[in-house]
Amino acid sequence: MSFSLKKFLPHLFVLLGFVILSLAYFSPVLEGKKIFQSDIMHYIGMAQQQKEFAKSTGEETYWTNSAFGGMPTYQLGAKYPHNYIKKLDLTLRFLPRPADYLFLYFIGFYILLLSLKVEFKLAAFGALAFGFSTYLIIILGVGHNSKAHAIAYMPMVLAGIILTFRKRYVLGFLLTTIALGLEIVANHFQMTYYLLLLVLVLGITYLIDAYRKKLVPHFFKSVGILIVATIIAVGLNATNFLATQEYVKESTRGKSELTINPDGSPKEVSTGLSNEYITEYSYGIWETFNLYIPKFMGGGNSEDIGKESATYKAYVNLGASPIEALEASREAPMYWGDQPIVEAPAYVGAVIIFLFVLGLFLVKGRLKWWLVGGTIFSLLLSYGKNLDFLTNLFIEYVPLYNKFRAVSSVQVILELCVPILGVFALVRLFNDFQKNEDKLRYLKYTVIITAGLCVVFLLFKSSLFDFEGLRDDRYAQAYGQHFVDALIEDRKALFTTDTLRTLILVLLSAGTVFLFLKEKLSEKKVVIVFVILVLFDLVSVDREYVNSSNFKSARIVDMPYQANTADKDILRDKSHFRVLDMSSQGQSQPGKAAYFHNSLFGYHAAKLGRYNELLDFHVYRNNMNVLNMLNTKYIIIEEQGQVLPYTNKETNGNAWFIRELEIVETANEEIKALDSLDTKLKAVIQKSLLSSNILKESYSLDSIASIELIEFKPNYLKYETNNSNSAFAVFSEIYYQPGWISLIDGQEVPHQRVNYVLRGMSIPKGTHIIEFKFEPQVVKIGSKIALASSVVLGILLFLGLFFEFKRKKIDT
């Protein structure tokens, strides 16, 4: 066995250990089961049409009609030509989902710590602390796969950047390029944006350090290399990047032309999301201690507190049977923090936070200030509306910050920084840079802070907190104050139990460090003890929220929707139309209608902005003229427990000729005109959209004129028209200018946006064939850039590996 193989063998064993742990935690995957994720269930509904199209034709459609009247599939798992970085990503995710994401957590963080010169045992320990962090497990439970995907590649990107700053230019460049390419392919730009914020903190730290050490030229050389790496990484993902950039302008993340709300009141003008929407999920100031004590604020909105709880007894006293009371107490509303919904606490771990605090004393230099800066920065931003001045500053002045919601998720930066400093606390503990007397003194300070905090909470909990939740007033009205008192009693019990739990883990951690400093435990045994403590600490909390009960048979997960009687009746109609599902199931499962039909609704974080405004102004208010123009042929309703399909016989159809084109000046006037507009006879258009092919404002309707849809696919529509006069037709299809082209008898002609969201076109007299094709240029251009970038990376990778091999050969 060669020396190099011996050197690599420990890493091989670590990787094998990561595989085993990932499969062990999600062991039902070994039985062929799959995790049931609510968000993925919605996604399956949304993506069903494009998957069926690809299956039947072997081609990819970049437009779907199945949700929100029609939208691009760019954010619905679209597959692009020459996306080779995606193939690499799929290769790395060889384990069954979600074990693949847990494995990526481990391996990414392990590589990061190795880049920081941490020896493999401590790097493996740090990887476990990061990967099992409760927030990272919870997002897998609810189906935030793209978020988990992006978070998993963050450490690897940082590793490449750090190697570059450490003058490992070739290796750093290659790792940064590939890792950043993988990060972007995860397609969660909010997480990538947060990574950029952490990189800026890292860059500032390195710049200050370079200035002090007179290494500024090296700093800017490294920055230049990293810029090239970023350009190539973006190039590898050019299609997705360009498509997203194009789409975001048209989505709810883009700028709206409206200056009024549906009720007529003035609307806050913004180039992004509203402040209220951005800060809806803001972390509470006191909620900070959830990071340290798991159920400091009760845990999640739905906690299993069992038969011995005060809440169980309260349910029994209200007349519930023992079985009903037990079922209710398994979903008790224990969370009493500031956020509307919390699945579980964002618990980082008592053990790792103990080490983090110890690291504040033991670790010196730029590394500590980067990690502490990132942690504080992340925490402050996560407070959102609870720290208004900072949040508003970022929303107003920091580019792109107002494009993302749920500010509490910025804590992914903290989730990453805390374990790194915790690991380096052990690195410094084991080396001889400081005297044992100093280390003992730092240990004492750490215990005073961490254990002392627990003692204060235990002694003064009733004085500090009222344990009242946001919805307690509703519970009091529904069940009486005695029920709320029972909830508060159980919240206090959880608080006390978990604070004691944290205190014990802190004392065990402190005792381990103390015994090492007194030379009673070896370094190896200390690492083993901390691995055991961290696994017990985090996994025991994780398993409360994500466990075997989350898994179901593969058939149920892959086909989560079953057609009811209404769906079956509608599916017999093979024409082209839309469906509005107003049943309770349709409302609770917004992806269901999209799974079977062309739906007016759906489930997506970034709908087309104009269509979303149409929903708010008209669809949600049951404006039948608008429902008719959207070709809503069926409305699924619920009567006396039965789900029925109501046939709307007044629908306008797929396309129709109008008598009059009403011209308005503004978007406000256009959307308000739809309040009473007879959409069968009239259409409304903004003056700025008038083009030379619109010859007049009024038209004579020929009694025998016809326009008929004769062929339809998600990305292609074909009509036959016959009219003795020139006319203007409205098409019940969503207008999306970047990609849709229109043709008359094979010749490309323009079409306009009318009725706020639909397509309209002037059609000359006679018999004609009208076609609409979705041929997005961003896909064609992006694919060429991706191919060129892949070729460049391939050449650089070959040269880089050759250079590294040659360098090592010279060194030996």
Side-chain angles (χ1 to χ4, degrees):
M1 185 183 291
S2 67
F3 174 77
S4 59
L5 184 57
K6 284 183 180 178
K7 190 176 180 181
F8 182 72
L9 206 54
H11 303 303
L12 189 62
F13 283 128
V14 168
L15 294 183
L16 182 61
F18 289 160
V19 170
I20 293 170
L21 277 173
S22 300
L23 292 173
Y25 188 88
F26 295 113
S27 58
V29 299
L30 300 174
E31 304 169 22
K33 294 182 178 181
K34 292 187 176 182
I35 191 166
F36 185 84
Q37 304 166 301
S38 57
D39 277 18
I40 299 305
M41 178 183 71
H42 301 316
Y43 163 76
I44 289 172
M46 294 283 289
Q48 178 68 6
Q49 187 179 87
Q50 70 199 72
K51 288 181 179 178
E52 287 295 323
F53 182 84
K55 184 179 178 181
S56 61
T57 65
E59 301 174 2
E60 187 76 15
T61 175
Y62 298 108
W63 185 269
T64 179
N65 285 311
S66 68
F68 296 117
M71 62 185 292
T73 63
Y74 303 146
Q75 299 301 309
L76 288 172
K79 295 179 175 61
Y80 303 115
H82 305 305
N83 194 2
Y84 301 114
I85 192 71
K86 182 64 177 179
K87 295 184 187 299
L88 174 60
D89 168 60
L90 292 172
T91 302
L92 292 174
R93 292 191 289 123
F94 60 92
L95 293 177
R97 185 170 297 173
D100 56 344
Y101 291 125
L102 183 54
F103 175 74
L104 284 186
Y105 289 159
F106 291 151
I107 188 64
F109 204 80
Y110 183 71
I111 290 171
L112 172 58
L113 289 176
L114 291 179
S115 74
L116 289 166
K117 297 184 178 180
V118 176
E119 59 98 22
F120 80 94
K121 293 192 293 294
L122 287 178
F125 163 73
L128 297 180
F130 174 71
F132 282 123
S133 183
T134 302
Y135 179 76
L136 303 192
I137 299 297
I138 290 304
I139 59 177
L140 295 177
V142 297
H144 296 170
N145 289 354
S146 61
K147 178 184 286 188
H149 198 174
I151 292 170
Y153 285 127
M154 283 183 178
M156 213 179 294
V157 176
L158 292 171
I161 293 171
I162 288 167
L163 284 171
T164 305
F165 279 119
R166 282 182 46 210
K167 299 186 179 181
R168 299 292 303 275
Y169 298 124
V170 174
L171 188 59
F173 168 78
L174 293 175
L175 182 57
T176 302
T177 304
I178 294 170
L180 185 56
L182 292 167
E183 169 69 28
I184 297 171
V185 92
N187 199 32
H188 199 294
F189 290 103
Q190 184 170 0
M191 294 300 106
T192 304
Y193 181 81
Y194 292 156
L195 171 63
L196 173 61
L197 295 181
L198 181 58
V199 169
L200 289 175
V201 176
L202 174 65
I204 292 169
T205 305
Y206 268 103
L207 178 59
I208 293 170
D209 189 69
Y211 178 78
R212 288 175 176 173
K213 295 177 180 177
K214 298 182 180 179
L215 293 173
V216 174
H218 155 66
F219 173 84
F220 284 107
K221 179 181 178 180
S222 300
V223 170
I225 291 170
L226 293 172
I227 289 173
V228 175
T230 301
I231 292 170
I232 296 175
V234 170
L236 295 171
N237 292 279
T239 316
N240 185 38
F241 199 85
L242 290 175
T244 300
Q245 284 296 100
E246 176 191 274
Y247 179 67
V248 75
K249 297 173 186 175
E250 309 294 329
S251 77
T252 51
R253 262 61 172 174
K255 184 178 180 179
S256 172
E257 291 184 52
L258 294 180
T259 59
I260 56 171
N261 291 309
D263 62 3
S265 62
K267 178 183 177 182
E268 178 186 342
V269 179
S270 172
T271 57
L273 302 173
S274 68
N275 284 33
E276 184 180 356
Y277 190 59
I278 292 169
T279 61
E280 182 182 9
Y281 288 87
S282 296
Y283 212 61
I285 305 295
W286 279 112
E287 207 165 353
T288 304
F289 295 102
N290 266 355
L291 303 168
Y292 181 50
I293 300 169
K295 291 178 183 172
F296 184 88
M297 286 203 151
N301 284 94
S302 178
E303 289 284 340
D304 184 354
I305 55 177
K307 194 173 182 179
E308 301 303 318
S309 65
T311 301
Y312 170 85
K313 295 169 186 173
Y315 277 120
V316 171
N317 291 335
L318 287 168
S321 70
I323 294 176
E324 291 171 338
L326 184 60
E327 285 298 315
S329 64
R330 285 175 177 162
E331 297 181 350
M334 289 291 99
Y335 175 72
W336 51 280
D338 293 343
Q339 300 183 76
I341 300 173
V342 170
E343 293 289 335
Y347 181 57
V348 172
V351 175
I352 206 68
I353 284 187
F354 166 83
L355 291 174
F356 173 83
V357 176
L358 182 61
L360 294 176
F361 298 105
L362 286 175
V363 180
K364 311 293 181 183
R366 68 189 177 198
L367 175 71
K368 179 173 105 172
W369 297 118
W370 167 51
L371 297 172
V372 172
T375 299
I376 295 173
F377 179 61
S378 167
L379 192 60
L380 294 178
L381 284 179
S382 73
Y383 291 147
K385 60 188 176 187
N386 297 313
L387 199 62
D388 259 347
F389 76 92
L390 181 64
T391 300
N392 291 336
L393 182 70
F394 269 72
I395 289 173
E396 291 294 326
Y397 299 108
V398 177
L400 302 179
Y401 193 79
N402 64 354
K403 304 295 183 184
F404 308 113
R405 67 182 296 241
V407 292
S408 59
S409 59
V410 75
Q411 285 193 2
V412 294
I413 295 176
L414 178 154
E415 302 272 350
L416 199 152
C417 292
V418 170
I420 299 175
L421 190 57
V423 169
F424 269 89
L426 291 178
V427 171
R428 297 293 185 181
L429 181 71
F430 294 151
N431 65 33
D432 298 324
F433 292 166
Q434 292 168 305
K435 297 177 182 178
N436 267 19
E437 301 84 59
D438 292 333
K439 293 176 182 178
L440 282 167
R441 189 171 72 256
Y442 297 151
L443 174 62
K444 181 177 72 173
Y445 297 157
T446 302
V447 171
I448 290 171
I449 294 169
T450 54
L453 197 59
C454 292
V455 172
V456 168
F457 287 147
L458 288 170
L459 292 176
F460 301 105
K461 61 187 174 190
S462 296
S463 302
L464 292 170
F465 312 112
D466 57 19
F467 297 91
E468 293 178 1
L470 294 176
R471 298 178 180 86
D472 283 1
D473 286 344
R474 298 184 203 171
Y475 298 134
Q477 290 176 2
Y479 305 115
Q481 185 59 39
H482 292 299
F483 180 78
V484 173
D485 292 340
L487 291 178
I488 290 173
E489 183 180 339
D490 286 328
R491 289 166 183 163
K492 286 182 179 179
L494 290 177
F495 179 95
T496 302
T497 301
D498 275 25
T499 304
L500 282 170
R501 177 188 186 276
T502 291
L503 179 59
I504 291 169
L505 286 168
V506 163
L507 294 177
L508 288 172
S509 301
T512 303
V513 173
F514 180 79
L515 290 174
F516 170 76
L517 293 174
K518 291 297 183 179
E519 300 181 358
K520 302 293 184 182
L521 282 179
S522 66
E523 179 180 320
K524 182 179 179 181
K525 288 179 180 178
V526 169
V527 174
I528 292 172
V529 170
F530 272 109
V531 166
I532 293 170
L533 286 174
V534 160
L535 287 177
F536 168 80
D537 183 13
L538 293 174
V539 173
S540 62
V541 175
D542 296 343
R543 298 290 291 180
E544 290 189 49
Y545 301 99
V546 181
N547 50 54
S548 299
S549 67
N550 295 82
F551 287 80
K552 299 184 185 298
S553 71
R555 183 186 62 81
I556 293 174
V557 174
D558 293 338
M559 300 177 64
Y561 303 107
Q562 301 299 317
N564 56 36
T565 54
D567 295 319
K568 291 175 183 176
D569 286 345
I570 295 170
L571 288 169
R572 293 190 184 98
D573 188 337
K574 302 302 180 183
S575 62
H576 188 57
F577 54 85
R578 294 196 180 90
V579 174
L580 175 61
D581 192 345
M582 299 298 293
S583 68
S584 57
Q585 186 182 20
Q587 299 303 300
S588 63
Q589 297 179 1
K592 178 179 178 291
Y595 187 84
F596 294 109
H597 317 291
N598 291 332
S599 174
L600 262 64
F601 294 157
Y603 184 86
H604 201 273
K607 303 180 281 292
L608 282 171
R610 280 186 162 263
Y611 186 81
N612 189 57
E613 290 163 347
L614 188 78
L615 291 178
D616 289 337
F617 275 78
H618 298 291
V619 176
Y620 294 146
R621 299 181 175 202
N622 298 317
N623 183 331
M624 287 307 299
N625 279 331
V626 170
L627 292 179
N628 289 338
M629 82 177 193
L630 293 173
N631 195 18
T632 312
K633 189 173 182 180
Y634 296 98
I635 302 173
I636 300 177
I637 58 176
E638 202 165 349
E639 289 184 355
Q640 298 179 346
Q642 285 189 309
V643 180
L644 305 170
Y646 167 76
T647 303
N648 177 22
K649 296 180 181 179
E650 300 300 318
T651 181
N652 295 12
N654 295 295
W656 60 96
F657 293 116
I658 60 165
R659 288 186 186 275
E660 184 181 344
L661 195 60
E662 181 179 324
I663 301 171
V664 296
E665 295 288 338
T666 67
N668 290 352
E669 292 176 280
E670 184 181 7
I671 201 165
K672 286 174 68 178
L674 294 174
D675 281 334
S676 56
L677 189 76
D678 184 351
T679 56
K680 289 182 175 65
L681 299 175
K682 296 175 67 175
V684 60
I685 187 172
Q686 280 191 62
K687 188 175 182 179
S688 60
L689 299 177
L690 289 174
S691 59
S692 58
N693 70 317
I694 299 179
L695 302 177
K696 51 188 177 179
E697 297 176 30
S698 61
Y699 299 85
S700 298
L701 286 184
D702 185 340
S703 60
I704 61 170
S706 64
I707 179 167
E708 182 183 358
L709 180 66
I710 58 176
E711 187 179 347
F712 55 89
K713 299 174 185 175
N715 56 2
Y716 177 76
L717 297 147
K718 185 177 182 180
Y719 305 80
E720 186 175 49
T721 71
N722 185 26
N723 199 337
S724 58
N725 304 309
S726 61
F728 191 91
V730 176
F731 300 85
S732 184
E733 300 296 330
I734 302 303
Y735 179 88
Y736 185 80
Q737 187 276 328
W740 278 105
I741 61 170
S742 48
L743 305 98
I744 298 180
D745 300 329
Q747 298 295 314
E748 187 172 344
V749 295
H751 63 277
Q752 287 77 36
R753 189 187 72 232
V754 297
N755 292 2
Y756 207 72
V757 297
L758 298 183
R759 304 173 201 171
M761 182 191 295
S762 288
I763 299 174
K765 66 181 180 179
T767 300
H768 302 284
I769 294 295
I770 312 294
E771 295 172 285
F772 285 98
K773 297 180 180 179
F774 192 59
E775 297 179 349
Q777 290 300 306
V778 285
V779 174
K780 296 176 182 178
I781 296 169
S783 297
K784 292 177 182 178
I785 297 173
L787 177 60
S789 300
S790 298
V791 171
V792 170
L793 177 60
I795 294 170
L796 293 175
L797 186 61
F798 174 79
L799 293 174
L801 292 175
F802 175 77
F803 176 82
E804 282 292 308
F805 177 77
K806 188 175 180 181
R807 184 183 65 81
K808 286 187 177 181
K809 196 171 182 180
I810 293 172
D811 291 343
T812 55

